[in-house]
Amino acid sequence: MKARILLVEDEESLRSTLSLNLELEGYEVVSTANGREALQLFKTSKFDLIILDIMLPEINGIDICHEIRKENKKVFILFLSARNLGSERVEGLKAGADDYLSKPFNLEELLLRIEILLKRKKTTLSDPLSQSFTINGCAVNFITYEFTNILGQTDSLSKKEAQVLKLLIERENQVVSRDEILNEVWNYEVFPTGRTIDNFILSFRKNFESDPAHPKCFISIRGVGYKFINHEINNE
Ligand code: CA
C-alpha cells in the first residue's frame, strides 16, 4: 500500500515541486498551504507522515505538531523549515517531531529521510508483540484473529474487533478517544454508529474479563473514550 503523506507548505513553488517528487517516489500526497486546513485534513483523514513547514498562515507548524501529538503519537512528523538555529530544531523535536530538516535542503536527502522514517513504521508493525498478546491469561493472535476466552474456549475476532483491540493494547494505560478509534480503524469507510464501539468493548469484557460487570481491563471513561489496563503484567 502506498504511504500517504500530508504536505504542509505555504510556498507555492516548493509545495508543487515537492508534491510532484513525492508522487514520483510512489507516495500518495495531499497538500495544503494553510495551518488550520492542515489540522482539519489530519482530523478527517489518515496519514503515515506529515511534512510540516513552521512559518505558516493561521496556525504555525509547532502548534500543529503539538495539536497532532495530543491525539496521535504514531504518525511521523518531519519539519521542513527555514528556521535552522539549534534551538529552533530542538523546539521542533520537543514538540514531538521525528525529524527536522532545514531549508534550503537537498531533495535526495529529504526523500531518504522519509524512506527511513516509513521503514521504522514497518518494523514496529512486524514486532512480535503486535502479532500476539495475552490478556488475563487469554491469548490473542492478531495474525489469525483467534483468541482463547476466559473460559479457555477458542473463538475468533472480526477484523475490526482485532484492530480496535490492538489499538487499545498499543496505547495501554492511556485513554483512547472514540474519534481516534474511528479514525484509526474505520479510516475512510463509513463510520459505524456510536454503539458499535461500545458493543466491541462489551464483547472484549465478556471474553477477557473475570467479572465483565466490573471491568478491570477495558475501562470506559464517560464522554472521553476507553482505556486498556493489563492487570496481568501490573501484578507480576
Ligand atoms: Ca513558510
Side-chain angles (χ1 to χ4, degrees):
M1 210 176 74
K2 279 187 185 177
R4 276 174 62 86
I5 296 179
L6 173 62
L7 170 65
V8 191
E9 170 61 66
D10 60 336
E11 195 185 309
E12 202 181 331
S13 60
L14 179 57
R15 190 175 65 249
S16 53
T17 313
L18 269 180
S19 275
L20 179 68
N21 278 284
L22 290 166
E23 279 164 3
L24 286 173
E25 289 294 309
Y27 300 119
E28 199 180 321
V29 185
V30 176
S31 69
T32 173
N34 179 288
R36 189 171 303 279
E37 197 181 303
L39 272 179
Q40 263 155 15
L41 282 166
F42 174 76
K43 281 178 184 156
T44 50
S45 190
K46 194 177 160 125
F47 296 98
D48 300 294
L49 181 131
I50 302 174
I51 300 175
L52 202 50
D53 184 17
I54 292 187
M55 287 171 280
L56 286 164
E58 294 205 66
I59 305 177
N60 76 52
I62 298 283
D63 290 343
I64 293 173
C65 188
H66 278 298
E67 277 303 307
I68 288 174
R69 282 296 182 239
K70 274 188 207 160
E71 292 189 15
N72 185 317
K73 308 269 186 271
K74 282 197 298 188
V75 65
F76 290 114
I77 299 178
L78 183 151
F79 274 119
L80 193 58
S81 174
R83 306 200 323 168
N84 60 7
L85 291 176
S87 58
E88 290 166 338
R89 299 169 70 97
V90 167
E91 189 188 7
L93 295 170
K94 270 193 177 164
D98 300 282
D99 205 351
Y100 194 114
L101 192 59
S102 304
K103 292 175 189 168
F105 61 95
N106 175 309
L107 179 65
E108 212 173 325
E109 182 182 354
L110 174 68
L111 295 174
L112 191 61
R113 283 179 186 238
I114 290 171
E115 202 188 314
I116 290 168
L117 281 178
L118 292 169
K119 256 189 205 149
R120 217 203 280 169
K121 182 172 191 176
K122 268 192 202 143
T123 328
T124 325
L125 285 176
S126 58
D127 189 310
L129 251 183
S130 64
Q131 294 174 15
S132 63
F133 197 83
T134 309
I135 307 164
N136 245 344
C138 308
V140 184
N141 185 320
F142 287 112
I143 304 296
T144 60
Y145 300 147
E146 282 179 330
F147 67 94
T148 52
N149 66 18
I150 196 83
L151 303 169
Q153 300 155 330
T154 305
D155 206 337
S156 58
L157 296 165
S158 72
K159 190 177 174 198
K160 290 276 184 274
E161 284 176 320
Q163 287 175 307
V164 173
L165 184 58
K166 199 164 163 182
L167 177 64
L168 291 173
I169 290 172
E170 279 169 356
R171 300 279 299 278
E172 195 181 327
N173 299 324
Q174 296 172 29
V175 181
V176 185
S177 74
R178 186 184 290 269
D179 281 352
E180 221 172 322
I181 296 174
L182 291 173
N183 276 328
E184 290 270 332
V185 175
W186 274 267
N187 202 1
Y188 298 109
E189 299 161 41
V190 178
F191 282 177
T193 66
R195 292 296 304 163
T196 308
I197 298 177
D198 288 331
N199 288 335
F200 280 19
I201 301 292
L202 288 177
S203 141
F204 295 157
R205 286 178 185 155
K206 198 176 97 213
N207 285 311
F208 303 119
E209 300 255 9
S210 317
D211 181 3
H214 300 97
K216 288 189 169 145
C217 300
F218 296 93
I219 313 293
S220 304
I221 314 282
R222 191 185 286 264
V224 186
Y226 308 92
K227 179 159 81 169
F228 170 70
I229 302 172
N230 196 1
H231 286 279
E232 194 165 49
I233 287 176
N234 293 345
N235 291 342
E236 270 173 10

